[in-house]
Amino acid sequence: MRVLTRYVTRLFVARFALLLFGMGAFLMGLDLMANARGVMAHDDGGTAALARYVMLRSPTIVSDLIKIATLLAGLLTLTLLIRHGELTAIWNSGVSQFGLVGRLIPLAIVLGGLQFVVDNELVPPSVQALQEWGVAEDNSRPTLQDSSGMTWIHVGDDIVRIPAENIDAEGLRDFTLFERSAEGRLLARVDVRHAEYRDGLWQLFGVTTVPAAGGRPTFEAQRTWPIDLQAANLQHLLAHPRDLSFYETQRFVDGRGGSTWAPYLYETWHYAKLADCLIPFLMLCLSVFLAQQSQRSGRLGLLLIGGIAVGFSFFIFNGITLAMGEVGLLPPLLASIAPLAIFGAVAASVAYWHELKHRPT
C-alpha cells in the first residue's frame, strides 16, 4: 500500500502547490493594488520598495492560505480519483475511509509542520518589520492606546504608562511607573526620564518618586528596576498575540515579563497556534469522508460544493470561537480546540456510520 500512499500524496502535493501559489499571487496582487501608492510614497526605492513589501507581506498571506489550499487540493485530488474510477478500486481493494485517512497522516504532519514554521518563524519578524517600516499597517487590530495616546503595560505587579513611540530596542523614554503591592494597592508614582537595559538589569535615570500616601517627592539620578523583561522583548509588548510566535506567547502566558493585553488573549492565541497545525489534517479528513458519500451518489459537484461549504463553515466557526476567547467569553483552551473537536467528531461519526451501513454481511 506504499504505492497508494505515494500516488495520492503526489497528486495532492501538485494541486496544493498550484493552489497556494495561484491564490497567494492573486491576493498579493490585490494587496499591492490597495497599498502600492502608499508604499512608493513612503519609500523612495520604487520597485525595490514594492519587492520588499511583497516579501514582508507574503508570510502572513501564506499562513492564511495553507489551510484553505489543503481543503481545495484534497477535494480536487479525490474528485480526480472518482472521475477515473480509481477511488472505487481503492475501496474495493479493502481500504476503508479511515484506512485512506491513515495513509494521509504523514502528509498531514508535513502540512502541520509547514503551518507551524510559517506562523512562528516567518510571520512575527515580517509583521514587526512592516510595523517598523510604517507601511500599510493593519488597522484591524485593537489599539493599545487610550484616548490620550498612552500605552499601558503590565510589568509584574506594576503598571507602566508610556507613549508607544517612546518604546524601542534601546529602552524606554519619558514614562510613568505606578508601583503597586502584590494585592494591587498603589504605593507610589514614579516619573522616569529614560530606562536602559544593562548587564541583565534595567537602569532608570532621572527618577522622581511621589508616594501614594503623601509626602514630599524624591529625586534619584539612577536606580535599578528589578523586572524580568529583556530589551529584545520590548517590541513584543506592542504586537497583537496573533503576530507573536508560539514561544513568545508562552512567555506572556507564564507571566514572565510584562504584557499589554489581557492574559486570556495571550493564552487563547497560544493554544490557537498549536490548533492551527491540526487543521490541515481535519481538512484532509473532511475531503475523504465527503468523497465517500459523493462516490456513492455519483455527483462530483456535490463533493466540491459540499466540501467548500463544510470547510468554510469550519473557518467561520473557528473565527467566532477565537473571538469569544479573545474577549474572555470562552476559556482559552476551549476557544481554540472546540471547532476541531466538534467538526472532527461529527465527520468521524458520519463516516463510521456509513462504514457500518455498507459493511458486507
Side-chain angles (χ1 to χ4, degrees):
M1 290 299 176
R2 293 181 180 178
V3 175
L4 173 61
T5 302
R6 290 197 300 268
Y7 178 64
V8 175
T9 300
R10 186 170 67 251
L11 292 177
F12 173 88
V13 169
R15 284 151 183 79
F16 174 81
L18 182 61
L19 285 167
L20 188 63
F21 177 80
M23 291 190 298
F26 176 72
L27 291 179
M28 192 69 249
L30 293 179
D31 192 284
L32 275 178
M33 289 174 61
N35 298 303
R37 181 176 298 178
V39 171
M40 299 187 72
H42 189 277
D43 193 290
D44 295 332
T47 56
L50 292 178
R52 181 189 177 196
Y53 178 75
V54 169
M55 291 182 61
L56 294 177
R57 279 289 292 157
S58 295
T60 301
I61 293 176
V62 170
S63 173
D64 294 334
L65 287 179
I66 289 175
K67 299 177 281 287
I68 299 175
T70 299
L71 171 65
L72 297 178
L75 295 172
L76 291 175
T77 298
L78 290 163
T79 298
L80 179 67
L81 293 177
I82 293 174
R83 179 176 298 170
H84 294 166
E86 294 170 300
L87 192 60
T88 301
I90 292 174
W91 302 143
N92 292 338
S93 67
V95 178
S96 66
Q97 298 177 75
F98 295 101
L100 184 56
V101 167
R103 288 166 173 80
L104 294 176
I105 288 179
L107 178 61
I109 293 175
V110 172
L111 293 172
L114 175 63
Q115 184 77 59
F116 186 84
V117 169
V118 172
D119 287 347
N120 295 279
E121 301 298 331
L122 302 181
V123 170
S126 66
V127 170
Q128 182 176 341
L130 276 175
Q131 292 174 344
E132 293 174 353
W133 192 13
V135 176
E137 295 181 357
D138 188 356
N139 296 322
S140 65
R141 295 282 187 265
T143 179
L144 292 170
Q145 298 180 350
D146 59 18
S147 57
S148 63
M150 292 291 182
T151 296
W152 297 80
I153 304 173
H154 187 271
V155 182
D157 295 324
D158 303 333
I159 300 294
V160 173
R161 184 183 66 186
I162 183 173
E165 60 270 15
N166 289 358
I167 302 176
D168 54 46
E170 302 299 326
L172 307 172
R173 305 185 310 278
D174 297 325
F175 65 94
T176 300
L177 171 64
F178 297 92
E179 294 182 334
R180 304 189 306 168
S181 66
E183 295 78 23
R185 187 176 70 256
L186 180 64
L187 300 177
R189 167 178 168 165
V190 182
D191 295 317
V192 183
R193 190 171 68 249
H194 73 276
E196 297 178 4
Y197 190 70
R198 298 179 178 177
D199 301 324
L201 290 174
W202 281 94
Q203 301 293 331
L204 305 182
F205 299 91
V207 181
T208 302
T209 303
V210 181
R216 297 180 60 183
T218 60
F219 177 80
E220 299 173 87
Q222 179 179 349
R223 87 178 205 192
T224 301
W225 188 19
I227 61 170
D228 182 18
L229 176 64
Q230 297 181 5
N233 294 325
L234 284 178
Q235 294 300 323
H236 298 163
L237 294 174
L238 301 179
H240 190 278
R242 179 192 174 184
D243 300 327
L244 298 175
S245 71
F246 173 80
Y247 308 103
E248 290 161 355
T249 56
Q250 178 68 56
R251 176 183 178 84
F252 293 113
V253 169
D254 292 342
R256 294 180 284 117
S259 62
T260 48
W261 305 92
Y264 50 77
L265 181 59
Y266 287 107
E267 195 172 355
T268 296
W269 278 103
H270 181 67
Y271 292 127
K273 290 179 182 298
L274 289 179
D276 279 353
C277 300
L278 299 176
I279 293 179
F281 179 62
L282 176 63
M283 296 297 102
L284 292 174
C285 291
L286 292 176
S287 300
V288 172
F289 297 154
L290 287 169
Q292 173 73 338
Q293 316 311 317
S294 302
Q295 187 263 343
R296 293 185 181 280
S297 65
R299 290 178 291 181
L300 297 182
L302 179 64
L303 172 59
L304 292 174
I305 296 175
I308 293 173
V310 172
F312 279 85
S313 295
F314 166 82
F315 294 134
I316 293 172
F317 183 48
N318 188 54
I320 292 173
T321 58
L322 279 179
M324 295 177 70
E326 286 182 335
V327 298
L329 294 179
L330 282 179
L333 182 59
L334 180 62
S336 302
I337 68 170
L340 278 169
I342 293 173
F343 274 73
V346 171
S349 298
V350 172
Y352 182 70
W353 179 79
H354 276 274
E355 288 286 331
L356 291 179
K357 181 178 178 181
H358 298 93
R359 179 179 297 175
T361 57

Coordinates of all heavy atoms in Angstrom, one line a residue, residues 257-290:
G257 N 7.8 38.6 32.5 CA 7.9 39.8 31.8 C 6.6 40.6 31.9 O 5.7 40.4 32.7
G258 N 6.5 41.6 31.0 CA 5.3 42.5 31.0 C 4.3 42.0 30.0 O 4.5 41.1 29.2
S259 N 3.2 42.7 29.9 CA 2.2 42.4 28.9 C 1.3 43.7 28.8 O 1.2 44.5 29.7 CB 1.3 41.2 29.4 OG 0.6 41.5 30.6
T260 N 0.7 43.8 27.6 CA -0.2 44.9 27.3 C -1.6 44.4 27.1 O -2.5 45.2 27.1 CB 0.3 45.7 26.1 OG1 0.6 44.8 25.0 CG2 1.6 46.5 26.4
W261 N -1.8 43.2 26.8 CA -3.1 42.6 26.6 C -3.5 41.7 27.8 O -2.7 41.4 28.6 CB -3.1 41.7 25.3 CG -2.6 42.5 24.1 CD1 -1.3 42.5 23.6 CD2 -3.4 43.3 23.2 NE1 -1.2 43.3 22.5 CE2 -2.5 43.8 22.2 CE3 -4.7 43.6 23.1 CZ2 -2.9 44.6 21.1 CZ3 -5.1 44.4 22.0 CH2 -4.3 44.9 21.1
A262 N -4.8 41.4 27.8 CA -5.3 40.6 28.9 C -4.6 39.2 28.8 O -4.4 38.7 27.7 CB -6.8 40.4 28.8
P263 N -4.4 38.5 30.0 CA -3.7 37.2 29.9 C -4.5 36.2 29.1 O -3.9 35.4 28.4 CB -3.7 36.8 31.4 CG -3.8 38.1 32.2 CD -4.6 39.0 31.3
Y264 N -5.8 36.2 29.1 CA -6.6 35.2 28.4 C -6.4 35.4 26.9 O -6.6 34.5 26.1 CB -8.1 35.2 28.8 CG -8.7 36.6 28.8 CD1 -9.1 37.2 27.6 CD2 -9.0 37.2 30.0 CE1 -9.7 38.4 27.6 CE2 -9.6 38.4 30.0 CZ -10.0 39.0 28.8 OH -10.6 40.3 28.8
L265 N -6.1 36.6 26.4 CA -5.9 36.9 25.0 C -4.6 36.2 24.5 O -4.5 35.5 23.5 CB -5.8 38.4 24.7 CG -5.6 38.8 23.2 CD1 -6.7 38.2 22.4 CD2 -5.5 40.3 23.1
Y266 N -3.5 36.3 25.3 CA -2.3 35.6 25.0 C -2.5 34.1 25.1 O -2.0 33.4 24.2 CB -1.2 36.0 26.0 CG -0.6 37.4 25.8 CD1 -1.0 38.4 26.7 CD2 0.2 37.7 24.8 CE1 -0.5 39.7 26.6 CE2 0.7 39.0 24.6 CZ 0.4 40.0 25.5 OH 0.9 41.2 25.4
E267 N -3.2 33.6 26.1 CA -3.4 32.2 26.2 C -4.2 31.6 25.1 O -4.0 30.5 24.6 CB -4.1 31.9 27.6 CG -4.0 30.5 28.0 CD -4.5 30.2 29.4 OE1 -4.8 31.2 30.1 OE2 -4.6 29.1 29.8
T268 N -5.3 32.4 24.6 CA -6.1 31.9 23.5 C -5.3 31.7 22.3 O -5.3 30.7 21.6 CB -7.2 32.9 23.2 OG1 -8.1 33.0 24.4 CG2 -8.0 32.5 22.0
W269 N -4.4 32.7 21.9 CA -3.6 32.6 20.7 C -2.5 31.6 20.9 O -2.0 31.0 19.9 CB -3.1 33.9 20.3 CG -4.1 34.7 19.5 CD1 -4.9 35.7 20.0 CD2 -4.5 34.4 18.2 NE1 -5.8 36.1 19.0 CE2 -5.5 35.4 17.9 CE3 -4.1 33.6 17.2 CZ2 -6.2 35.4 16.6 CZ3 -4.7 33.6 16.0 CH2 -5.7 34.5 15.7
H270 N -2.0 31.4 22.1 CA -1.0 30.4 22.4 C -1.5 29.0 22.0 O -0.8 28.2 21.3 CB -0.6 30.4 23.9 CG 0.4 29.4 24.3 ND1 1.7 29.5 23.8 CD2 0.4 28.3 25.0 CE1 2.4 28.5 24.3 NE2 1.7 27.8 25.0
Y271 N -2.7 28.6 22.4 CA -3.3 27.4 22.1 C -3.7 27.3 20.6 O -3.7 26.3 20.0 CB -4.6 27.1 23.0 CG -4.2 26.8 24.4 CD1 -4.8 27.5 25.4 CD2 -3.3 25.9 24.8 CE1 -4.5 27.3 26.8 CE2 -3.0 25.6 26.1 CZ -3.6 26.3 27.1 OH -3.3 26.1 28.4
A272 N -4.2 28.5 20.1 CA -4.6 28.5 18.7 C -3.5 28.2 17.7 O -3.7 27.6 16.7 CB -5.2 29.9 18.4
K273 N -2.3 28.6 18.1 CA -1.1 28.3 17.2 C -0.8 26.8 17.1 O -0.3 26.4 16.1 CB 0.1 29.1 17.7 CG 0.0 30.6 17.5 CD 1.2 31.4 18.0 CE 0.9 32.9 17.8 NZ 0.8 33.3 16.4
L274 N -1.1 26.1 18.2 CA -1.0 24.7 18.1 C -2.2 24.0 17.4 O -2.0 23.1 16.6 CB -0.9 24.1 19.6 CG 0.4 24.4 20.3 CD1 0.3 23.7 21.7 CD2 1.6 23.8 19.6
A275 N -3.4 24.5 17.7 CA -4.5 24.0 17.0 C -4.5 24.2 15.5 O -4.9 23.3 14.7 CB -5.8 24.7 17.5
D276 N -3.9 25.3 15.0 CA -3.8 25.6 13.6 C -3.0 24.5 12.9 O -3.2 24.2 11.7 CB -3.1 26.9 13.3 CG -4.1 28.1 13.5 OD1 -5.3 27.8 13.6 OD2 -3.6 29.2 13.4
C277 N -2.0 23.8 13.6 CA -1.2 22.8 13.0 C -2.0 21.5 12.7 O -1.6 20.7 11.9 CB 0.0 22.5 13.9 SG 1.1 23.9 14.1
L278 N -3.2 21.4 13.4 CA -4.1 20.2 13.2 C -5.1 20.4 12.2 O -5.8 19.5 11.7 CB -4.7 19.8 14.5 CG -3.8 19.4 15.7 CD1 -4.6 19.2 16.9 CD2 -2.9 18.2 15.3
I279 N -5.3 21.7 11.8 CA -6.4 22.0 10.8 C -6.2 21.3 9.4 O -7.1 20.8 8.8 CB -6.6 23.5 10.7 CG1 -7.1 24.1 12.0 CG2 -7.5 23.8 9.5 CD1 -7.3 25.6 11.9
P280 N -4.9 21.3 8.9 CA -4.7 20.6 7.6 C -5.2 19.1 7.7 O -5.7 18.6 6.7 CB -3.2 20.7 7.4 CG -2.8 22.0 8.1 CD -3.7 22.0 9.3
F281 N -4.9 18.5 8.8 CA -5.4 17.1 9.0 C -6.9 17.0 8.9 O -7.4 16.1 8.3 CB -4.8 16.5 10.3 CG -5.3 15.1 10.5 CD1 -4.9 14.0 9.7 CD2 -6.0 14.7 11.6 CE1 -5.3 12.7 9.9 CE2 -6.5 13.4 11.8 CZ -6.1 12.4 11.0
L282 N -7.6 17.9 9.6 CA -9.0 17.9 9.6 C -9.5 18.1 8.1 O -10.5 17.5 7.7 CB -9.6 19.0 10.5 CG -11.1 19.2 10.5 CD1 -11.8 17.9 11.0 CD2 -11.5 20.4 11.3
M283 N -8.9 19.0 7.4 CA -9.3 19.3 6.0 C -9.2 18.0 5.2 O -10.0 17.8 4.3 CB -8.5 20.4 5.4 CG -8.6 21.8 6.1 SD -10.3 22.5 6.0 CE -10.9 22.1 7.6
L284 N -8.1 17.3 5.4 CA -7.9 16.0 4.6 C -9.0 15.0 5.0 O -9.5 14.3 4.1 CB -6.5 15.5 4.9 CG -5.3 16.3 4.3 CD1 -4.0 15.7 4.7 CD2 -5.4 16.3 2.8
C285 N -9.3 14.9 6.3 CA -10.3 14.0 6.7 C -11.7 14.3 6.1 O -12.4 13.5 5.6 CB -10.4 14.0 8.3 SG -9.0 13.3 9.1
L286 N -12.0 15.6 6.1 CA -13.3 16.1 5.6 C -13.4 15.7 4.1 O -14.4 15.3 3.6 CB -13.5 17.6 5.8 CG -13.7 18.0 7.2 CD1 -13.8 19.6 7.3 CD2 -15.0 17.4 7.8
S287 N -12.3 15.9 3.4 CA -12.2 15.6 2.0 C -12.5 14.1 1.7 O -13.3 13.7 0.8 CB -10.9 16.0 1.4 OG -10.7 17.4 1.5
V288 N -11.9 13.3 2.5 CA -12.0 11.8 2.3 C -13.4 11.4 2.6 O -14.1 10.6 1.9 CB -11.0 11.0 3.1 CG1 -11.3 9.6 3.1 CG2 -9.6 11.3 2.6
F289 N -14.0 11.8 3.8 CA -15.3 11.4 4.2 C -16.4 11.9 3.2 O -17.3 11.2 2.9 CB -15.6 11.9 5.6 CG -14.7 11.4 6.6 CD1 -14.4 12.1 7.8 CD2 -14.0 10.2 6.4 CE1 -13.5 11.6 8.8 CE2 -13.2 9.6 7.4 CZ -12.9 10.3 8.6
L290 N -16.2 13.1 2.7 CA -17.2 13.6 1.7 C -17.0 12.9 0.4 O -18.0 12.7 -0.3 CB -17.0 15.1 1.5 CG -17.4 16.0 2.7 CD1 -17.0 17.5 2.5 CD2 -19.0 16.0 2.8

